[in-house]
Amino acid sequence: MAALSVNIEVGEEENEKMESKSEAAAEKERMKPWEQHAGVINMPRFDYNAPSALLHHSHSGFLITCSIKREKSATKEAMSILEKYAESYNSGSSESLEKSDENISAKKRRILTDENSAKCDEDVKSESIIDEISGGPAKDDCQSLSKADAPVERGFVLSLVKLTGSGLVLLTFPRENPSVTADVVSNIFQCLESGILKSPLWCHRIFPIQATCLLIEKELRAVVSKLVLQFINDKQNKLARPIKFAVGYNRRGIEETCMKNLKDNPKDSDPFPMLDRSKCFDVVASAIKDAVPESAVDLKSPELSVLVELLPLSGVPNGSLVAAVSVLPQNLVSVKPRLCIKPLISDANARNRS
């Protein structure tokens, strides 16, 4: 009888284990793929409001390049690096963040459940934005957030933006702050050279985005003029006259998508004039010369480089093209084989690790 009792108890324990496993499997099936991944490696979700925000406001941030199908590994690696070197943005721009546009959605800092969002909306908007960034105390009414709806990393102010292109990761700040991104990348290079920071495994390049704009001539010209004047007026930049400059333009295959849209709308003969490389170069060079008359093109040794990168944003209307623009010093760019941001690791190592 004792043996029979033991067998019954063991059988019941095995049944309970099987039931718990089946419940866990069912719960996993109900979870979206990104939620499963975020729960395993502790990454933020995509900010699906960010593409729309980029259409209406200029933002700063970082565009990271990596091997195809290594985007999630590169995202985690980039976050660990930028959390250290972008910390000055959190502490140094609290005042400007508090005074920023009150219409910024609180969901960029804290994801609320549908049941609590209406109840907490006014309280969250009145709460200090910097407390949201640093993971400060929330309102009592909002403390019933489920773990799945709360942000994974409260102190990480950058938003992860979904892209249509492969081998790219885009992280953006809530607003534009041109000097921060270039300083962060410059600091990363210095730490890599000194050995303080280990060479990254997945991230190939980190392009500091100083501003964004729609890819139309008027907006691109205005952004370039503003950034060039800021660069010239920065006392840290010792420039000779005439100032030598170069222009880089990366479309990242977006023209193929636009050509497909053109076939769908044959009545519009030239819907994307700024996609033309020569046209873009002419507009950027003209804006530079208007801002700084004493300037000349020098592709071999430019003192300042204006880099324009098209962002393959997901979830934006057809025909809406957003460009990232930066004006960078000589020590952050490479001119061969083409003008672009310097790689974090050598091309040979990048190929071996891909």
Side-chain angles (χ1 to χ4, degrees), residues 196-214:
I196 296 176
L197 178 65
K198 293 182 180 179
S199 297
L201 295 173
W202 310 111
C203 299
H204 296 171
R205 301 172 193 264
I206 300 180
F207 173 63
I209 301 173
Q210 294 179 325
T212 59
C213 67
L214 293 177

Side-chain angles (χ1 to χ4, degrees), residues 84-86 88 181-194 196-197 331-332:
K84 299 176 183 178
Y85 296 95
S88 59
T181 54
D183 290 345
V184 167
V185 174
S186 178
N187 194 9
I188 290 173
F189 277 119
Q190 291 176 6
C191 292
L192 284 171
E193 293 172 358
S194 65
I196 296 176
L197 178 65
N331 65 311
L332 292 185

Side-chain angles (χ1 to χ4, degrees), residues 118-139:
K119 183 177 179 181
C120 301
D121 186 54
E122 294 300 323
D123 290 336
V124 172
K125 286 184 178 180
S126 62
E127 188 177 0
S128 172
I129 295 179
I130 191 61
D131 285 341
E132 295 284 335
I133 295 172
S134 60
K139 298 295 182 180

Side-chain angles (χ1 to χ4, degrees), residues 59-65 82 169-171 173 177-189 205-212 227 305-309 311 324-329 332-333 340-342 344:
H59 289 67
S60 298
F62 305 93
L63 181 66
I64 297 99
T65 62
L82 294 174
V169 176
L170 177 59
L171 298 166
F173 285 118
N177 196 326
S179 62
V180 167
T181 54
D183 290 345
V184 167
V185 174
S186 178
N187 194 9
I188 290 173
F189 277 119
R205 301 172 193 264
I206 300 180
F207 173 63
I209 301 173
Q210 294 179 325
T212 59
L227 294 179
S305 298
V306 180
L307 301 184
V308 180
E309 291 263 354
L311 301 177
V325 186
S326 289
V327 178
L328 303 176
L332 292 185
V333 300
C340 61
I341 190 72
K342 285 172 57 178
L344 299 174

Side-chain angles (χ1 to χ4, degrees), residues 17-18 84 96 164 172 189 218 230-231 237 249 251 259 272-273 314 330 337 345 348:
K17 289 180 180 179
M18 291 178 63
K84 299 176 183 178
S96 62
T164 60
T172 61
F189 277 119
K218 181 179 178 181
Q230 289 178 357
F231 186 92
N237 299 319
Y249 183 33
R251 297 175 293 189
M259 291 304 296
F272 311 108
S314 175
Q330 192 172 18
I345 55 178

